[in-house]
């Protein structure tokens, strides 16, 4: 009996010891696996994110971005260790990184219909780095429209010269285009843009209210690239221009007087006999109004079918695209100063024509009076001074 009790007691002790060992093992395993076994107080947390955050403008994935829109990338809670925006060929576009290295701003216009990608690295205040990536695509125009100017950069012009921007196609949104073109003058000079009827494309002319003051400096800054011209068309390129207004010279041409005066700086330097258009037909009428010198040729072949063709004339100064010139014509010497017999030009002697030719400058006004037909749009591309100032202002797209 005693021996049986002892064996039973030893068995119970062994069971209790085994249970304690198992409990201890489970507790140990729970400690080891505490990061994966869920409990209200032991839920795992992800590693902390890097402190630096990069913001792109426009956001990555944006399409149809204007190539002249502001483009930038900014790092908060950190700085850029290196940063660039590259085109599809891998060329980095020009840009400026701020002194504190937190903002990179693109400094040049982008191309049309192109993809640009950010590359670089940003370092956070916590010492962790992130890669800079992302891309966007610029808009693809249906058409781009270019333009040309009537005045050369650095040219000296006469006091009646307008600025002419001749577009290579029709411009639908003239107001948007006009807003992009700025004229600056010294001294300040009142003036306005006017859109004249299309002639192989739209055309915008800027002229002062009155003749330019001699010595005025003029600058045109036409930021046309990237401008929406309307109808799916965009500007092809920017234009800029700087020129100077020269001396004041005005031709006074009164047809009934059969004479012509050249007035420079208020002083008459030539007063000569001439012959104007005969005036018996509309085609023979020298137009009344303010013409403008546009070109000159020592020798020029003139034609007026069916009356004459390829007739060589000397010292020819064009004053209108309707065929009006001031030029030498020895055949009218006998009537110069007494009768008007020409086909519309102003005829001078060889000597007088050569002398006047040497004084003429692009943009000089030629004020014709005393004839039966006024200069108008029917007479060519530059009839700006035949339009009254109030009407001229009304032709602005921003009027």
């Amino acid at each position: 009996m005693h021996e049986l009790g002892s064996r039973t007691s030893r068995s119970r002790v062994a069971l209790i010891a085994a249970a304690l060992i198992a409990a201890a093992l489970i507790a140990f395993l729970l400690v080891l696996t505490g990061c994966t076994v869920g409990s209200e107080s032991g839920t795992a947390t992800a590693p902390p994110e890097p402190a630096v955050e990069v913001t792109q403008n426009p956001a990555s994935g944006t399409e149809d971005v204007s190539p002249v829109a502001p483009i930038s990338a900014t790092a908060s809670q950190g700085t850029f260790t290196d940063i660039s925006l590259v085109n599809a060929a891998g060329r980095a576009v020009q840009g400026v990184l701020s002194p504190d290295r937190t903002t990179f701003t693109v400094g040049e216009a982008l191309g049309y219909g192109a993809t640009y990608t950010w590359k670089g690295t940003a370092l956070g205040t916590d010492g962790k780095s992130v890669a800079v990536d992302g891309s966007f695509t610029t808009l693809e125009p249906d058409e781009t429209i270019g333009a040309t100017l009537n005045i050369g950069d650095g040219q000296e012009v006469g006091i009646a010269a307008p600025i002419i921007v001749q577009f290579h196609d029709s411009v639908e949104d003239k107001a948007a285009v006009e807003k992009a073109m700025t004229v600056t003058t010294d001294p300040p000079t009142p003036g306005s843009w006017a859109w004249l009827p299309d002639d192989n494309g739209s055309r915008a002319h800027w002229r002062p209210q009155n003749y330019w003051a001699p010595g005025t400096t003029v600058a045109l800054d036409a930021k046309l690239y990237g401008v929406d011209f309307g109808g799916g068309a965009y500007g092809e390129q920017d234009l800029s221009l700087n020129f100077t207004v020269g001396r004041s010279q005005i031709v006074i041409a009164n047809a009934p007087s059969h004479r012509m005066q050249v007035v420079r700086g208020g002083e008459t330097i030539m007063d000569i006999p001439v012959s104007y258009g005969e005036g018996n037909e509309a085609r023979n009428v020298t137009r009344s109004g303010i013409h403008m010198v546009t070109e000159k040729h020592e020798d020029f072949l003139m034609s007026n079918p069916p009356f004459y063709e390829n007739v060589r004339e000397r010292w020819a100064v064009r004053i209108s695209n309707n065929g009006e010139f001031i030029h030498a014509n020895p055949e009218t010497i006998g009537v110069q100063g007494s009768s008007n017999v020409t086909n519309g030009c102003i005829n001078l002697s060889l000597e007088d024509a050569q002398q006047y030719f040497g004084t003429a400058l692009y943009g000089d006004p030629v004020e014709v009076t005393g004839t039966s037909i006024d200069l108008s749009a029917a007479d060519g591309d530059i009839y700006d001074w035949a339009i009254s100032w109030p009407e001229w202002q009304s032709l602005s797209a921003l009027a």
Side-chain angles (χ1 to χ4, degrees):
M1 292 293 292
H2 178 76
E3 184 179 352
L4 178 60
S6 297
R7 287 199 298 268
T8 302
S9 177
R10 286 196 298 270
S11 297
R12 288 177 178 172
V13 170
L15 290 173
I16 292 170
L20 290 173
I21 292 170
L25 180 61
I26 291 172
F28 177 74
L29 291 174
L30 286 175
V31 171
L32 291 179
T33 59
C35 60
T36 58
V37 177
S39 70
E40 290 185 1
S41 62
T43 301
T45 57
E49 294 288 337
V52 65
E53 182 178 353
V54 176
T55 303
Q56 299 171 11
N57 178 35
S60 181
T62 303
E63 298 180 348
D64 295 329
V65 175
S66 169
V68 294
I71 308 293
S72 63
T74 302
S76 59
Q77 300 299 313
T79 58
F80 290 115
T81 53
D82 60 281
I83 179 73
S84 63
L85 181 69
V86 301
N87 62 16
R91 184 188 73 84
V93 303
Q94 295 177 7
V96 176
L97 183 61
S98 62
D100 63 1
R101 305 188 69 84
T102 61
T103 302
F104 180 85
T105 304
V106 170
E108 66 174 307
L110 304 181
Y112 286 122
T115 298
Y116 291 86
T117 302
W118 288 104
K119 293 185 178 297
T121 306
L123 178 64
T125 54
D126 59 354
K128 296 182 179 180
S129 296
V130 298
V132 179
D133 55 18
S135 62
F136 61 88
T137 304
T138 56
L139 62 86
E140 178 72 64
D142 294 337
E143 174 192 12
T144 58
I145 297 177
T148 54
L149 300 171
N150 64 314
I151 299 173
D153 203 43
Q155 185 176 344
E156 184 179 74
V157 301
I159 61 174
I163 301 170
I164 301 174
V165 182
Q166 176 66 59
F167 295 92
H168 300 160
D169 206 340
S170 294
V171 173
E172 187 173 307
D173 192 346
K174 293 180 172 62
V177 172
E178 188 172 326
K179 287 178 182 177
M181 300 189 297
T182 302
V183 176
T184 306
T185 67
D186 184 18
T189 305
S192 173
W193 289 104
W195 292 83
L196 302 184
D198 280 18
D199 184 6
N200 295 315
S202 296
R203 50 189 178 141
H205 292 211
W206 195 99
R207 59 156 257 223
Q209 180 177 0
N210 302 302
Y211 292 153
W212 295 106
T216 299
T217 57
V218 186
L220 167 68
D221 186 18
K223 297 292 189 182
L224 300 175
Y225 180 76
V227 173
D228 186 349
F229 282 26
Y234 284 77
E236 186 174 287
Q237 84 276 3
D238 292 340
L239 296 174
S240 63
L241 172 65
N242 291 275
F243 65 93
T244 304
V245 180
R247 79 290 178 273
S248 170
Q249 178 165 298
I250 303 171
V251 169
I252 306 297
N254 178 252
S257 73
H258 314 302
R259 299 191 69 83
M260 185 185 92
Q261 290 82 36
V262 179
V263 180
R264 175 175 289 191
E267 181 179 342
T268 301
I269 61 172
M270 294 183 71
D271 187 347
I272 53 177
V274 300
S275 181
Y276 295 87
E278 185 174 1
N280 59 325
E281 299 179 46
R283 68 174 185 85
N284 288 335
V285 176
T286 306
R287 290 349 190 205
S288 285
I290 300 175
H291 300 60
M292 193 191 88
V293 171
T294 57
E295 58 186 84
K296 58 183 190 176
H297 307 271
E298 292 186 16
D299 289 277
F300 194 77
L301 295 177
M302 294 189 183
S303 298
N304 188 7
F307 306 101
Y308 58 89
E309 192 167 355
N310 292 329
V311 175
R312 178 174 179 256
E313 301 291 2
R314 300 295 312 282
W315 311 115
V317 177
R318 185 189 290 274
I319 61 173
S320 175
N321 267 358
N322 67 359
E324 290 175 305
F325 285 81
I326 301 173
H327 66 90
N329 189 345
E331 295 184 3
T332 64
I333 287 290
V335 297
Q336 289 173 12
S338 60
S339 182
N340 294 327
V341 300
T342 79
N343 282 284
C345 292
I346 304 175
N347 287 183
L348 289 65
S349 70
L350 274 169
E351 294 77 9
D352 289 341
Q354 183 176 5
Q355 182 181 351
Y356 167 66
F357 183 94
T359 73
L361 183 65
Y362 178 89
D364 284 345
V366 177
E367 301 177 351
V368 179
T369 57
T371 69
S372 60
I373 300 177
D374 289 336
L375 184 72
S376 70
D379 295 300
D381 58 348
I382 303 179
Y383 55 96
D384 300 22
W385 296 97
I387 302 173
S388 70
W389 181 243
E391 183 182 356
W392 183 267
Q393 291 176 298
S394 74
L395 297 176
S396 164
L398 304 178

